[in-house]
Amino acid sequence: MRAIDVARMLGIPSSTVRNVSASIRKDRRCHVKPKLGRPFTVNTRQTRGIIKRRIDRNDGLSLNKVASDLGIARSTVQKIVKKELNIHSYHISRGQYLSDASKASRLEKSKKLLAHFDLRRLSDVIWTDEKIFTIEPLPNRQNQRQLLPKGDNKSPKRRLASNRLFPKSVMVWGGITATGKTPLVFIDRNVKINSEVYQKTVLMDNLLPWATQHFAGRPFILQQDWAPSHGSKSTIAVLDAHFPGYLGKDLWPASSPDLNPMDFSVWGHLESKISGSSYSSVDTLKDALQKAWDDIDVDYCRRTADSVIKRLKACVEAHGSNFEYLL
């Protein structure tokens, strides 16, 4: 093949082809011209040592600040941290504060609950809870973004996530079992959930009719936290009369939202479905919550309820402390 044909194929001058060809004919090989000086890199043992010592002193430090202090690119710091030091970035886990007394109580009662569910079916438990939802959900500061041309970040085009000091809200009560879910009960903000309201609106008007039909007369187990309206003498009398299988204070530990499916899963699921939107009224918020609740299927309920045993075992393993890292 002629030099001019090779040059056209490779898109290079024909003189380059002739020079390379002459070099190969002369020495039977093609020489690569070495670069002058030693290769430059900031990924040195000294740099890695500095970054490692800083992380050992403060594992929450900013990689941007490290890069700025050392005068190197953030991407280089990230590469050193991940590939050289084998350190990875994780979101900070959130959990409730637990005193030593709370940890001891959780450990004791988690063991009792595991023994209890050796004799009773977990699928018979109705897991319940209340939560307040507002018409102005907080924005997701980590992932909610706005795409703007460069320079417009300091212009009126920049959106502002704002909330009223006291936005309108609604209290929501709900419950799930491994085989279904209760009605969603809305309690307006101006209604105080005292013992009377809890007994009538929640227990007698909604939960009992639903449970009677759902379990078809079979025994069931009610789980609730022990808020004042849930543990008053009059409420205990209603529970003894109509919900005899409820988990008493001797079984259900206080300060344990991480053991209640409504807390560790369901409410977060509903929030994710309605997040990022502001609602014009409490009624539109209720409609959105009701739709999200209706969309929850039995498979989700079963998976969520079945995970309680795993969480109880993790609580025991953590000696009553926060245990999310064990899951």
Side-chain angles (χ1 to χ4, degrees):
M1 183 179 289
R2 297 180 304 168
I4 191 170
D5 295 327
V6 175
R8 287 172 180 170
M9 185 184 302
L10 299 178
I12 60 177
S14 58
S15 59
T16 301
V17 177
R18 287 193 293 271
N19 291 338
V20 172
S21 179
S23 176
I24 293 174
R25 283 196 297 269
K26 180 180 179 181
D27 297 333
R28 300 295 179 185
R29 62 187 178 184
C30 183
H31 294 281
V32 178
K33 185 177 180 181
K35 295 181 180 180
L36 298 177
R38 63 178 293 182
F40 175 76
T41 179
V42 295
N43 187 355
T44 63
R45 182 199 290 181
Q46 181 181 13
T47 303
R48 293 193 295 271
I50 292 172
I51 295 174
K52 178 67 165 60
R53 287 192 293 273
R54 289 195 176 193
I55 292 175
D56 288 342
R57 289 196 299 268
N58 176 16
D59 60 11
L61 86 171
S62 164
L63 296 188
N64 283 332
K65 188 174 188 310
V66 173
S68 176
D69 291 346
L70 298 180
I72 60 179
R74 187 183 191 278
S75 59
T76 301
V77 175
Q78 286 180 307
K79 181 179 179 181
I80 291 173
V81 169
K82 184 176 181 179
K83 296 187 176 181
E84 303 288 346
L85 302 180
N86 195 28
I87 296 173
H88 301 268
S89 176
Y90 299 97
H91 288 294
I92 299 295
S93 298
R94 299 187 180 277
Q96 69 277 13
Y97 169 77
L98 296 170
S99 65
D100 290 341
S102 295
K103 294 175 186 178
S105 174
R106 279 162 53 89
L107 174 60
E108 176 192 0
K109 292 178 181 179
S110 291
K111 291 178 178 178
K112 286 184 177 181
L113 284 168
L114 285 169
H116 185 74
F117 291 130
D118 279 340
L119 304 175
R120 297 292 304 273
R121 296 192 307 181
L122 189 71
S123 59
D124 289 339
V125 181
I126 308 173
W127 308 96
T128 69
D129 195 37
E130 301 100 352
K131 182 175 176 62
I132 294 176
F133 289 87
T134 68
I135 63 173
E136 298 176 347
L138 292 175
N140 185 332
R141 299 186 183 277
Q142 179 67 22
N143 297 319
Q144 192 172 24
R145 306 282 178 147
Q146 181 184 10
L147 300 177
L148 292 171
K150 188 175 181 180
D152 280 353
N153 62 317
K154 295 183 179 180
S155 75
K157 296 180 181 179
R158 185 77 177 267
R159 286 205 302 266
L160 177 67
S162 61
N163 289 85
R164 295 184 178 89
L165 186 59
F166 299 106
K168 294 180 180 179
S169 61
V170 61
M171 173 74 79
V172 181
W173 177 94
I176 68 165
T177 73
T179 55
K181 57 185 184 290
T182 71
L184 203 60
V185 180
F186 297 105
I187 302 169
D188 291 333
R189 182 178 179 178
N190 59 350
V191 176
K192 182 179 179 180
I193 305 183
N194 54 26
S195 297
E196 182 180 355
V197 171
Y198 181 66
Q199 294 163 26
K200 182 180 187 307
T201 306
V202 174
L203 296 180
M204 301 305 296
D205 290 352
N206 284 280
L207 180 55
L208 186 59
W210 177 86
T212 302
Q213 180 181 22
H214 183 78
F215 290 98
R218 290 189 294 108
F220 58 87
I221 303 168
L222 171 62
Q223 178 276 332
Q224 60 170 15
D225 63 30
W226 288 101
S229 61
H230 300 181
S232 66
K233 290 183 179 180
S234 59
T235 300
I236 294 295
V238 171
L239 294 176
D240 288 338
H242 301 284
F243 304 89
Y246 69 92
L247 299 179
K249 293 181 180 180
D250 60 324
L251 277 177
W252 188 254
S255 304
S256 297
D258 50 0
L259 296 175
N260 183 350
M262 293 299 298
D263 270 306
F264 68 70
S265 182
V266 177
W267 293 138
H269 176 77
L270 290 189
E271 282 184 326
S272 71
K273 295 297 183 181
I274 67 169
S275 64
S277 299
S278 291
Y279 298 92
S280 58
S281 66
V282 171
D283 287 338
T284 57
L285 172 62
K286 289 179 181 180
D287 291 341
L289 286 167
Q290 188 64 60
K291 183 181 184 308
W293 183 255
D294 292 341
D295 288 342
I296 292 177
D297 58 27
V298 174
D299 285 341
Y300 172 86
C301 293
R302 176 183 50 77
R303 292 193 309 270
T304 306
D306 287 350
S307 67
V308 170
I309 295 297
K310 181 178 180 180
R311 286 174 171 267
L312 288 170
K313 291 179 178 178
C315 189
V316 172
E317 184 177 347
H319 301 286
S321 188
N322 295 298
F323 55 78
E324 295 289 342
Y325 66 95
L326 293 172
L327 300 176

